[in-house]
Amino acid sequence: MATQASSAIAIPIPDSTKCCGSRAYLVPPIAILVDVGLPLLLLTTFAVTFRMRRAMASKKQTVESTDEDTHIAPFTTVEVLSENVADTMQEVLTEHRPSYLWLLDFAFVSKMRGKSVSPIHRAAKAEKELLVLAFLPLKELLVRLGITSADVGLTQQEVERRQLASGPNRVVVGKPQSLLSLTANALLQPFNLLMVVIAVVTVSPPNSDWKTFTMVMVLLVVAIVLRWTEDMRNVRSSQTLQSPVVATSWVLRDSTEKQVSTEDVVMGDVVRLLPGNVVPGDVRIIQARSLSIGTAALTGEATPVHKKATASSAEPGLLEQDNLCFAGTHVVSGDGLCVVLRTGNETYIAGIAKALAAQGHMNAFDFAVRRIVYMFIAFVVVMVPLVIVLNGSTTGDWHGAVTFGLSVAVALTPQMLPMIVTANLVQGVRQLRKHKAVVKRLDAVQNLGAMDVLCTDKTGTLTSDQNTLALEGNQDYTSRDVLKLAYANSFFQSGLPNHVDLGVLAYGNKHGFASEVEADWAAVDEIPFNFERRRLSVVLQDLAGGSTKRILVCKGAIEEVLAVSTYVMEEDTVQPLDEVQINKVQQAANAMASKGLRVLGVATRSLDHGRVTVNAGDECLMVFWGFLTLRDEVKASAGPALCSLMDNGVAIKVLTGDTLLGAKQVWDTIGMPSTDGIEGHNLAAMEADQFLATVRRCSIFAKVTPQQKVQIVTMLQKNDHIVGFLGDGTNDALALRRADVGVSVDSGTDVAKDAADVVLLEKDLQILGTGMVIGRIIYGNTIKYIKFSSSSSFGNTFSILAAAVWLPFTPIAPIQVLLLNLLYNISQVAIPWDTMDPEFLKKPKKWSAKFLGVYM
């Protein structure tokens, strides 16, 4: 027993006093290194890495810009045409820069990394092929389309065969996301990937910690399920916005005209175009009678375009060809006969949709989140090896040092960040849904709060898109007789009433003109409006007392009506219209136009008894009665909404296809501060530096093209602005996709709604103001968690490091660190429902990794 006891007493016991005493000299410098040196080293590493990435991206952009024109797809004609036709087409195609080239520019600007641009190449090639068809002789075109005669059309058997081959004539705008893509989107979030890395590290041998792994993965699954559920709800909401109108077309088949659904129209069908008809595809005009096409949804031009049966070789662009019309447009006035060249997903508008779908664009939120994740990874990559080396060298237990390094990695990572961010975004989406806005991408909510520049159109957004008569200031030339004649012109014309006609009719109906006009006159004939004459005339039979007297009533642009007038009605007396009178009228009209009003002249001419038909040559020797002025009324909500946005730090830029004078008038009427404006043709002639200065200085951009809208948005983004874009036309689709947050409306085109991130169920800027506030609240609440979590994590980490230097054993296990973090984070679960101070909501809130580095 004694031997055994003696043996037990002989076991060596470490002298902790000696051990700790030898380390006491190392504690002060190591503590200083840990508390001061490591944070500085981490911040320096992150800053250098960030600068190097920006320099590399800038260099890559410079190199790619030299090859910008090489994106254009090569073009080869399929057939050998007659020599003179081939020469004409070669001249046009040589000058032709495809409209799709602005999509190619966008592919460059958005820095698509590894993404295919083949849809853009196909769109450019298809555009040139359409241009060839515009110049083909009609007989060759019909043969190429498999039509024996334009008077016969296709046979029903051939129509059925083509329908089976090509499917319904329907543009599929963006395929709905599949369950697989929604799941991948929910999984592959930057914060989620960071958590996966940490989870994998915790189970890596030889120190596998399955408890820590399980807790991390549970939090991760909760965040993924939450995001996936909300994404699915958003997809279903956006699908309800795609509500195609069932339209019909008159087609010629087997020598018989019949009315069919537009979805049943096939390539090669001969179609009759009538006022109000939707153009059923990309078509070539065969016959036209004063045919005017509304192209606002495609080009943004509010004024209808005159079409005829011959191509315009003077204008090399596809959209400028007089004998081509495109799907998505409609007939305003006149009639015509056309042959269908493309249907469904082969049309020009479908090509734009496909090219947009091929684009990948990271917005400001995506960039910021990625940088924050990079910073957390940088902290982990730098600190964990240092911790392992420091702990292993002082304790000699390298196995324990690795375990301790994992503890530091877990301590540095905000485990609930994916769930908190997703919960914040979901909360914002649900609030916006209550305010009649459908959010298609969760990230868009935060970008609304970060937005510091809003680019918006004018018509229908700032104005009501309804013309009303403005009588103040022009009583000398707008008598009741003038208004009655203008009403008769609009009332009896057979075409689809435009905004001007609707404004005149609304005023006349309100003042009892309808019964008077119907009692006094009956329609006999008309000369439809076209853009060469810019006038519309109707022939009316005088019904008073069985009279056979007939009168031609003309209404149109003031300068065009004056040009065909020889006399003027003054004080109920017809007087010669001399230069003095013309100058007087023009001065009065210019004064009205300077106020942003639209000025229309009214004139009449008595016709011979029994005259039944008239033509444009009869518009002469007319009596000028006066003019009327119309304005597009500003929405009552526009002024308060814009002022509220500006008071909250959002600059307003108006991008419109209308005139600069009209846009400035609307701007002043709303009560916005004085600003400069510029038209698109002036922008086109500018160098890059001058363009940048102009974009900074001006707030009104008139007569701008879709390309210029994208250039303006891109230039603002390059100057560190978060840009929102509000538009509803196909011509706005590219700018909607390019902006950090694209906003469209429920009444917009399907292409625009597909390109947008947020769709407003009402065209009201006040909804945007609400979304902006919600976005800033989301940002504030998310930043609260990041600051709370990061300060706690780093404080704990540095404390653990100091303890590791002092103590001869591993002070804390990874599972214990994770448990402490979770207990702390549970108290922060209610953050998404927290409020923010009014002062905080006054300025745009932009995500940035800099603030986090400085804060920590």
Side-chain angles (χ1 to χ4, degrees), residues 478-628:
T478 310
S479 63
R480 191 178 190 280
D481 289 337
V482 171
L483 295 172
K484 183 177 177 180
L485 289 170
Y487 180 87
N489 179 280
S490 297
F491 184 84
F492 288 111
Q493 66 100 10
S494 61
L496 190 68
N498 56 29
H499 291 306
V500 171
D501 292 318
L502 292 175
V504 172
L505 292 173
Y507 179 87
N509 292 334
K510 183 178 179 180
H511 291 80
F513 286 165
S515 57
E516 294 182 31
V517 166
E518 287 184 294
D520 291 346
W521 295 304
V524 177
D525 195 16
E526 74 176 271
I527 308 171
F529 178 90
N530 66 41
F531 289 92
E532 294 171 353
R533 297 168 27 255
R534 295 197 295 161
R535 301 183 298 266
L536 184 147
S537 299
V538 294
V539 178
L540 305 179
Q541 171 73 51
D542 190 350
L543 300 179
S547 171
T548 59
K549 178 182 177 183
R550 290 181 177 173
I551 184 175
L552 185 147
V553 181
C554 176
K555 177 176 94 272
I558 181 69
E559 59 271 20
E560 301 297 339
V561 173
L562 284 173
V564 295
S565 298
T566 308
Y567 306 96
V568 60
M569 181 65 70
E570 250 191 12
E571 298 179 356
D572 298 329
T573 305
V574 176
Q575 302 287 342
L577 184 63
D578 54 23
E579 289 296 326
V580 175
Q581 290 282 2
I582 291 176
N583 290 335
K584 185 179 177 182
V585 172
Q586 287 178 336
Q587 287 178 2
N590 290 339
M592 295 295 103
S594 65
K595 298 178 181 179
L597 302 177
R598 186 169 184 176
V599 184
L600 300 177
V602 178
T604 62
R605 177 190 174 189
S606 297
L607 298 177
D608 297 335
H609 292 253
R611 183 78 178 269
V612 177
T613 60
V614 292
N615 55 49
D618 293 308
E619 292 177 328
C620 62
L621 303 175
M622 304 190 76
V623 178
F624 181 78
W625 282 74
F627 59 73
L628 59 154

Side-chain angles (χ1 to χ4, degrees), residues 411-460:
L412 283 172
T413 309
Q415 290 84 16
M416 293 186 69
L417 184 57
M419 190 176 74
I420 294 293
V421 170
T422 302
N424 268 305
L425 294 175
V426 169
Q427 177 72 4
V429 168
R430 291 175 179 174
Q431 289 183 44
L432 274 175
R433 194 177 291 136
K434 293 178 182 178
H435 290 86
K436 298 183 180 180
V438 176
V439 180
K440 296 171 59 182
R441 291 194 319 109
L442 284 178
D443 300 345
V445 183
Q446 200 285 323
N447 282 329
L448 278 175
M451 175 180 68
D452 59 358
V453 177
L454 174 64
C455 298
T456 177
D457 63 350
K458 177 182 73 71
T459 305

Side-chain angles (χ1 to χ4, degrees), residues 56-68:
M56 292 175 63
S58 178
K59 182 178 180 181
K60 181 179 179 181
Q61 179 176 345
T62 303
V63 172
E64 288 180 351
S65 64
T66 60
D67 301 326
E68 184 176 356

